[in-house]
Amino acid sequence: MQKRTLKEILLRIVILFIGLTIAHLGVTLFLLADLGADPFNVLIQGLFRTAQSLTGWTVLTHGRVHMTICFLIILVLLITDRSYIKIGTVLCMICGGPIIDFFTLLLGGLIHSGNPFAARILVLAAGCVILAFGMTIVMKSDSGVGPNDLVAIVISDKLGQSFSITRIVVDVCFVAAGFLMGGAVGVGTIICAALVGPVAGIFLPHSERIVEWIIASANVQNT
């Protein structure tokens, strides 16, 4: 395997950040639609609502709770097996929450639970498609995986179990814990579960070609 140059490493990190921004725009859309979120964000939403009701802290946001939980996951991995952590993992932890907060501030006045149900369904479906596309860009940047995605990966590796089964179990645990703490579980959660994976499968080869074209173009300009 050819060793990557510093320029390629930095370019892949930029690509990851672009994918991360796209993905979290999608997350924000179905959070604002308030019809149920993806499993991890059901957990974050539940934690956020519980912490806010118990403390009354106005400084808490969904994004800040998201960043805190991702940090705790990385902290556990640093103690148990740091080989899973790449620069992209840290970038996902630092930037994911603030990106959600930014798009929430930007779009919150336009998209909310007061919109017609049909419009909210369309927003949620669009959010799932956007999330799937951004997620595949992150994956094909080959610079690391978000901490929340690493949970199932690490458990699957350590227990020697099928990743698909482990992912389902982890997602169910996220949803159950989030629901018990007040996270929104609804038709959106079902749509996310049914839509994101298949759509990501459609986007994956296209995203791979996009990333390879960007890297190849940069290498040509460098010669």
Side-chain angles (χ1 to χ4, degrees):
M1 183 177 177
Q2 187 176 4
K3 189 176 180 181
R4 291 175 180 171
T5 64
L6 178 59
K7 180 180 178 180
E8 181 178 342
I9 291 171
L10 293 175
L11 184 57
R12 286 183 179 275
I13 290 172
V14 171
I15 293 170
L16 179 141
F17 181 77
I18 292 170
L20 189 66
T21 301
I22 295 170
H24 283 81
L25 169 59
V27 170
T28 305
L29 288 177
F30 55 67
L31 285 173
L32 292 176
D34 198 26
L35 292 170
D38 67 289
F40 185 67
N41 277 288
V42 169
L43 173 64
I44 299 302
Q45 196 173 51
L47 286 167
F48 165 55
R49 291 176 175 177
T50 298
Q52 194 172 50
S53 64
L54 290 175
T55 63
W57 291 345
T58 56
V59 295
L60 284 176
T61 65
H62 183 99
R64 287 170 184 167
V65 175
H66 185 285
M67 186 163 55
T68 302
I69 298 304
C70 286
F71 171 76
L72 291 175
I73 293 171
I74 287 180
L75 192 61
V76 170
L77 287 175
L78 282 173
I79 297 170
T80 57
D81 191 342
R82 63 185 64 192
S83 65
Y84 288 93
I85 301 172
K86 296 182 180 179
I87 183 66
T89 308
V90 177
L91 188 64
C92 288
M93 177 203 74
I94 295 171
C95 299
I99 290 171
I100 292 173
D101 285 346
F102 169 75
F103 282 126
T104 300
L105 185 65
L106 188 67
L107 302 172
L110 298 173
I111 305 168
H112 47 76
S113 58
N115 294 140
F117 181 76
R120 292 162 63 198
I121 286 288
L122 288 174
V123 168
L124 187 141
C128 288
V129 173
I130 292 168
L131 166 63
F133 176 60
M135 186 171 66
T136 59
I137 294 293
V138 170
M139 291 169 62
K140 290 306 177 180
S141 73
D142 196 26
S143 295
V145 181
N148 53 307
D149 294 317
L150 278 178
V151 174
I153 292 172
V154 173
I155 292 175
S156 172
D157 288 349
K158 297 302 181 184
L159 297 182
Q161 299 297 319
S162 162
F163 173 75
S164 58
I165 299 300
T166 305
R167 182 63 189 247
I168 291 170
V169 172
V170 169
D171 282 350
V172 168
C173 291
F174 283 161
V175 170
F179 176 73
L180 291 173
M181 290 184 289
V185 178
V187 64
T189 310
I190 298 170
I191 291 175
C192 287
L195 197 59
V196 172
V199 174
I202 294 171
F203 278 132
L204 267 172
H206 302 290
S207 297
E208 184 173 15
R209 283 195 291 270
I210 290 170
V211 172
E212 288 178 352
W213 177 80
I214 293 172
I215 299 298
S217 298
N219 288 337
V220 168
Q221 292 174 8
N222 199 39
T223 57

